[in-house]
Amino acid sequence: MDLPQLSEDELSEIYNWVDIVPLSRAKKHIGRDFADGVLIAEIIQHYVPTIIDIHNYSMAHSVQQKQYNWNTLNTKVFRKMGFQITQKDIDAVIQVIPQAIERILKMIQFKLDLFLDQQEQNQDQKQEKPIELKKNQNQVNNQKPIVNNKQNDKDQVIQDQKETIDILELKIQKLEQLVKLKDSKMQQLTQKLQQAGIK
């Protein structure tokens, strides 16, 4: 299925979203900049570093290397996130067809949000499991002294707290992105009003 064309507002939102992510190269022409898939890999690494090895992707000028990068993204990363990009869309990006990369970025943004939400739900479910059950399992399986069991409980509490902090940090990042997007839209609207002679 071909990805749909984007409206001006959607394009603006995508450009703002990309600007939030620290990339290794300055963006001059988004179509050419993203054609080899490397900056896409960097965006994924920014949000979900655990599912991607950035060293698998190298800056490319040849069509063959660009295809390799995109195929690696498709099979090793996008599949884990629950989707894949069609060969037709990949070819369009490599050929720098107008709006091709923007449509893929829009899809990746949507799928990233779903994937991150799913990860948060999984973390929440893990935290809901009673610690008492884990303690009982340790006692039955290992028959370790009570002191060791207490240490295991402390370690588990610390781990749970770390996971909670990670989830909260992800939520803060999302909120910061939303604030930046809203600020950018406000600035654009203010500029349009000023250009129209409305203060």
Side-chain angles (χ1 to χ4, degrees), residues 154-174:
K154 286 180 182 177
D155 290 343
Q156 185 60 50
V157 170
I158 291 168
Q159 183 61 36
D160 288 344
Q161 288 175 345
K162 284 181 180 177
E163 289 174 355
T164 302
I165 290 168
D166 289 341
I167 291 168
L168 290 172
E169 285 177 347
L170 279 172
K171 288 182 178 178
I172 289 168
Q173 283 182 6
K174 278 190 175 181

Side-chain angles (χ1 to χ4, degrees), residues 54 84 155:
I54 201 69
Q84 285 191 289
D155 290 343

Side-chain angles (χ1 to χ4, degrees), residues 5 7-8 29 32 52 56 120:
Q5 292 286 326
S7 67
E8 284 189 18
H29 182 289
R32 286 193 291 270
I52 190 166
N56 286 335
E120 286 181 15

Side-chain angles (χ1 to χ4, degrees), residues 16-196:
N16 289 330
W17 179 63
V18 169
D19 285 340
I20 291 169
V21 182
L23 299 174
S24 62
R25 305 179 230 159
K27 296 179 293 300
K28 297 176 183 176
H29 182 289
I30 193 164
R32 286 193 291 270
D33 295 335
F34 280 76
D36 62 5
V38 173
L39 295 186
I40 292 289
E42 290 182 10
I43 287 175
I44 301 293
Q45 186 193 37
H46 177 74
Y47 289 101
V48 200
T50 55
I51 68 167
I52 190 166
D53 183 356
I54 201 69
H55 302 297
N56 286 335
Y57 310 91
S58 56
M59 190 167 27
H61 296 291
S62 70
V63 171
Q64 184 178 4
Q65 182 61 40
K66 289 176 183 177
Q67 287 280 6
Y68 172 82
N69 285 344
W70 280 102
N71 288 336
T72 305
L73 280 168
N74 239 354
T75 55
K76 293 193 172 182
V77 180
F78 297 157
R79 184 178 288 174
K80 292 178 184 176
M81 294 168 62
F83 76 104
Q84 285 191 289
I85 294 171
T86 65
Q87 188 59 49
K88 183 177 178 181
D89 285 318
I90 290 173
D91 291 340
V93 170
I94 291 173
Q95 294 163 19
V96 196
I97 291 173
Q99 272 207 29
I101 188 61
E102 286 90 341
R103 294 198 297 271
I104 284 181
L105 281 165
K106 179 71 175 176
M107 183 186 203
I108 289 171
Q109 182 189 37
F110 176 72
K111 295 294 185 179
L112 259 174
D113 283 342
L114 288 180
F115 186 75
L116 290 170
D117 286 344
Q118 185 62 47
Q119 280 198 323
E120 286 181 15
Q121 289 176 14
N122 290 343
Q123 292 288 357
D124 290 342
Q125 287 172 2
K126 284 181 183 177
Q127 290 174 15
E128 285 169 5
K129 290 180 180 178
I131 294 174
E132 195 64 37
L133 177 61
K134 294 176 184 175
K135 184 167 67 175
N136 290 341
Q137 287 173 344
N138 285 335
Q139 289 173 341
V140 170
N141 295 336
N142 301 326
Q143 296 296 318
K144 290 180 179 178
I146 293 173
V147 174
N148 285 349
N149 283 333
K150 285 182 179 178
Q151 184 60 45
N152 288 339
D153 291 345
K154 286 180 182 177
D155 290 343
Q156 185 60 50
V157 170
I158 291 168
Q159 183 61 36
D160 288 344
Q161 288 175 345
K162 284 181 180 177
E163 289 174 355
T164 302
I165 290 168
D166 289 341
I167 291 168
L168 290 172
E169 285 177 347
L170 279 172
K171 288 182 178 178
I172 289 168
Q173 283 182 6
K174 278 190 175 181
L175 288 171
E176 286 176 345
Q177 289 167 21
L178 287 172
V179 169
K180 286 180 181 177
L181 285 174
K182 286 181 180 177
D183 287 346
S184 176
K185 286 185 178 179
M186 290 273 291
Q187 288 175 0
Q188 290 172 4
L189 287 171
T190 302
Q191 288 172 0
K192 287 180 181 178
L193 287 172
Q194 288 174 346
Q195 287 168 2

